Amino acid sequence: MTQKKTKTQAQTLVVGAGLSGAVIARRLAEEKNESVLVIDRREQIGGNCFDQKIEGITIHRYGAHIFHTDDQQVWTWLSRFTCWHEYRHQVQAQLRDQLIFLPFNLNALEQCFAPEKVTLMKKTLKQHFASGQKVTILQLRQIQDPVLQELADYVYEHIFLHYTLKQWECRLEDLDMSVAARVPVVFDRDDHYFANRYQAIPAQGYTAMIEKILDHPLVQVRLDTDYQSLKNQVFRHVYFTGAIDEFGDYCFGPLPYRSLEFVNQKLDQEYYQAVSVVNYPETQEFTRIIEHKHFLAEKTPYTWITREYPRCFVLGQGERYYPIQNQANQELYRRYRDHLASHQDITFLGRLGDYQYYDMDKAVARALNLELR
Ligand code: FAD
Ligand code: UDP
């Protein structure tokens, strides 16, 4: 006679073998001695951090992934599972007639304006901002000064307006302020994209790091498995890193997301561009080109590049990459969260479960600081 599984006998289920799922599974195994089943509907682990080495080049399959954080706890925890390749990210923007580094800084200012204008702008900036200060383009646009308005209009028009329309199909002003804050305007000469204390790429790639996190005798991983197929099984607790609206059967309507299409190309030349990411904030349909070999300084006579085309996310097609951060969507998310809070045996986390634009460090911090059930 088959015995009905009781709750106490059942395993804990983690839905999603991305970074959030891997961290929570490891903690359950190590800290609670819990037997954990991790499932993912994809055929590989890693979620959007998934990378794979092809002919000597580590390809970031779901867009450029650069680890950067000021969070000592996150850095120390991940360092148990990987050695790091030191890497300081640089991003260039291809404007109509020149290539500048982002974030827009004093070097870019000197490239984009005539010398007399530069002198005047720098003098005016000094009256308003401290050296090294960062402001969002939206804050810069608020300053009632004709000289700074000219600067702000230029940066807005050439760097942010069209890129944001392509990426989000709306203006920067219509998104949560945190989106504009990701790429500030900086009054210094540092040509690096991030200012964080720790910046690096896992030396063997993200997939290898996540594989190590999942490598514990109490953790079992099953791929090509959708939560739908296990929905009726009893688990002691479920940690769900998939989309919260999907879990809630879209009872309040779908949460809006943006998707991407990645178009890969192998080129018979050593390098295509000087840095790993070049943004195209103006006319082109794509937003950026990634050249993968720069991440781990891999040497090959050929190269692989990827063009990133923003797309609408349509249910049943493509992947959810970006939760669209605005007030209406946050309210809709909170409706799902509050509605599902009555399910005592499920915890949501991750970029999709929390409907948050988490960078990797924030996703890890969330999984590390979650109280285990
Ligand atoms: P995910 O990686 O999305 O993993 C969720 C997993 O759950 C997926 O594998 C999915 O298949 C699985 N899943 C979902 N639903 C189900 C279901 N019903 N059944 C089974 N499995 C399911 N962060 C940085 O710090 N630096 C960067 O440079 C950076 N670049 C990025 C570039 C792009 C284009 C994108 C999209 C993100 C980038 N990020 C970056 C963010 C980073 O990808 C996320 O922080 C991280 O992947 C979050 O991990 P996660 O596990 O929460 O989600
Ligand atoms: N952004 C822009 N132009 C750029 C770079 C960024 O307008 O050249 C805006 C755009 O709205 C983008 C947001 O800033 O979505 C955040 O940029 P980030 O590079 O952090 O995007 P991610 O790497 O998360 O896709």
Side-chain angles (χ1 to χ4, degrees), residues 102 159-160 163-164 167-168 172 179 182-183 193 279 281 288 322 357:
L102 291 178
I159 312 286
F160 290 98
Y163 188 112
T164 302
Q167 174 74 8
W168 302 100
L172 208 48
V179 178
R182 293 176 64 89
V183 186
Y193 204 58
N279 288 4
R288 47 192 176 190
Y322 294 93
Y357 190 172

Side-chain angles (χ1 to χ4, degrees), residues 15-22 39-42 44-49 62-68 89 182 194 206 225-228 240-243 246 260 262 288 308 319-322 349-352 358-361 363:
V15 179
L19 205 42
S20 301
I39 59 163
D40 203 296
R41 54 160 66 133
R42 293 185 185 169
Q44 75 271 334
I45 62 162
N48 289 341
C49 303
Y62 300 95
H65 275 73
I66 293 87
F67 186 78
H68 59 103
H89 194 40
R182 293 176 64 89
F194 302 120
Y206 291 96
T225 306
D226 198 295
Y227 177 64
Q228 280 297 328
F240 193 84
T241 75
E246 183 181 315
L260 295 169
F262 299 105
R288 47 192 176 190
E308 214 171 286
E319 293 276 353
R320 299 169 169 95
Y321 290 118
Y322 294 93
L349 70 157
R351 193 146 147 144
L352 306 176
Y358 287 144
D359 280 329
M360 289 181 276
D361 63 330

